[in-house]
Amino acid sequence: MTATDIEVQPKKKGLTRRQKRGLSRGIQYVVFVAAVIAFAFAADWDRLQNQFAQEDIARRMFPDVITLALKNTVLYTVSGFVFALVLGLVLALMRLSSVGPYRWLAGVYIEIFRGLPALLIFIFIGVAVPLAFPGTEIVGGTYGKAALALGLVGAAYLAETFRAGIQAVPKGQMEAARSLGFSPARAMISIIIPQAFRIILPPMTNEFIILFKDSSLVLLLGVTLEERELSKFGRDLASTTANSTPILVAGLCYLLVTIPLGFVVRRMEAKAQEAVK
């Protein structure tokens, strides 16, 4: 048998890696579209509209949902975030301190307040503190209590964020500052911490978003009609009208703040990655 008698079988060509990725992506799109269509046909849109999208009820919520509920939500969040920033920075410096008791105290605080649900912290501030210290009033009333509760929760997370940011600053920055005659404290305040702030801006903004949503727990502190935040405002109107439209409107008001902030976070992260490259 000669070589000419042997039939040369053509090699079967399979899909390339790029074609496999394209096929996989196409299948995922088909599954997604099918799921959306199935949901659209299965849902009872008339009942959903009657329960969550009554235009006359939504219209009656304005302008109070903005001028009262959203304003109070922002005030609670900003005051709590400022307190969390200050306490978190102090805790981060204690965690990085060469003094053992400082590190131990900061570590215990961070582990406890990161492990406890925010709900329990609000209950503690609203119930346990008045029982433990009879006659003692927290400055600012409900706003002060909300700032304290949100700050205690946020500080535990921001402390670790600050610590990571400070440690991310090149050690040469501190050495250069010391060579110029800066004391360790002055170098930390003037050189290291400002650079750390720029590094941790995205996670700090994320923490603000988390506190903004946690502000819904302020209702546990006992609020007046003028102190209601978005969730309490929506729940009260939902009970009054026997309809869930106020809940939906309150949720949309949350998104008015969180979605733009999320976009800002993504832009800051993209700029930080470009700077690294």
Side-chain angles (χ1 to χ4, degrees):
M1 183 180 294
T2 62
T4 56
D5 297 327
I6 301 175
E7 266 186 45
V8 178
Q9 296 292 333
K11 290 185 179 180
K12 294 183 179 180
K13 293 184 178 179
L15 295 176
T16 64
R17 186 177 301 176
R18 185 174 181 179
Q19 289 172 331
K20 289 180 180 178
R21 285 199 301 266
L23 179 61
S24 175
R25 191 179 300 112
I27 293 173
Q28 292 176 40
Y29 280 126
V30 170
V31 171
F32 174 76
V33 172
V36 170
I37 293 174
F39 173 78
F41 279 101
D44 190 336
W45 295 105
D46 290 334
R47 292 183 64 183
L48 285 173
Q49 182 178 1
N50 290 333
Q51 186 64 26
F52 288 96
Q54 290 295 319
E55 185 179 351
D56 57 330
I57 296 176
R59 192 182 298 113
R60 292 204 304 266
M61 296 178 66
F62 291 89
D64 288 347
V65 69
I66 301 296
T67 59
L68 176 69
L70 182 58
K71 180 200 72 174
N72 283 336
T73 301
V74 172
L75 287 176
Y76 293 141
T77 306
V78 170
S79 57
F81 186 72
V82 170
F83 179 64
L85 273 180
V86 176
L87 181 57
L89 179 58
V90 172
L91 289 169
L93 294 176
M94 290 174 63
R95 196 74 184 270
L96 295 170
S97 173
S98 58
V99 181
Y102 287 169
R103 294 196 306 273
W104 183 82
L105 286 173
V108 169
Y109 176 95
I110 291 169
E111 293 303 323
I112 289 176
F113 281 89
R114 282 200 309 176
L116 290 174
L119 175 68
L120 296 183
I121 305 302
F122 275 85
I123 293 175
F124 176 80
I125 297 298
V127 178
V129 170
L131 290 176
F133 306 98
T136 302
E137 290 290 335
I138 297 176
V139 178
T142 302
Y143 293 96
K145 293 177 183 177
L148 179 59
L150 289 171
L152 290 175
V153 174
Y157 294 94
L158 285 175
E160 290 296 274
T161 302
F162 273 123
R163 182 173 67 87
I166 291 172
Q167 291 179 327
V169 177
K171 293 182 179 180
Q173 296 290 319
M174 175 63 79
E175 295 170 357
R178 294 301 306 278
S179 65
L180 293 174
F182 283 69
S183 66
R186 186 183 172 192
M188 179 64 70
I189 295 172
S190 302
I191 306 297
I192 306 301
I193 291 178
Q195 294 185 63
F197 261 100
R198 288 195 292 271
I199 295 172
I200 65 173
L201 269 177
M204 277 177 55
T205 310
N206 280 328
E207 184 58 34
F208 182 88
I209 294 173
I210 293 172
L211 290 182
F212 184 75
K213 294 184 293 183
D214 284 345
S215 66
S216 61
L217 298 172
V218 172
L219 62 90
L220 297 172
L221 301 176
V223 296
T224 64
L225 291 177
E226 296 300 316
E227 295 171 340
R228 290 178 298 174
E229 38 68 49
L230 281 171
S231 293
K232 175 68 172 171
F233 186 85
R235 287 179 60 185
D236 287 350
L237 284 179
S239 299
T240 303
T241 60
N243 190 275
S244 299
T245 299
I247 301 296
L248 177 63
V249 175
L252 293 176
C253 289
Y254 278 105
L255 295 179
L256 285 176
V257 176
T258 57
I259 288 178
L261 284 177
F263 175 77
V264 170
V265 170
R266 290 192 295 273
R267 290 295 301 169
M268 288 190 295
E269 289 175 343
K271 287 185 178 179
Q273 290 177 356
E274 290 175 2
V276 172
K277 292 178 181 178

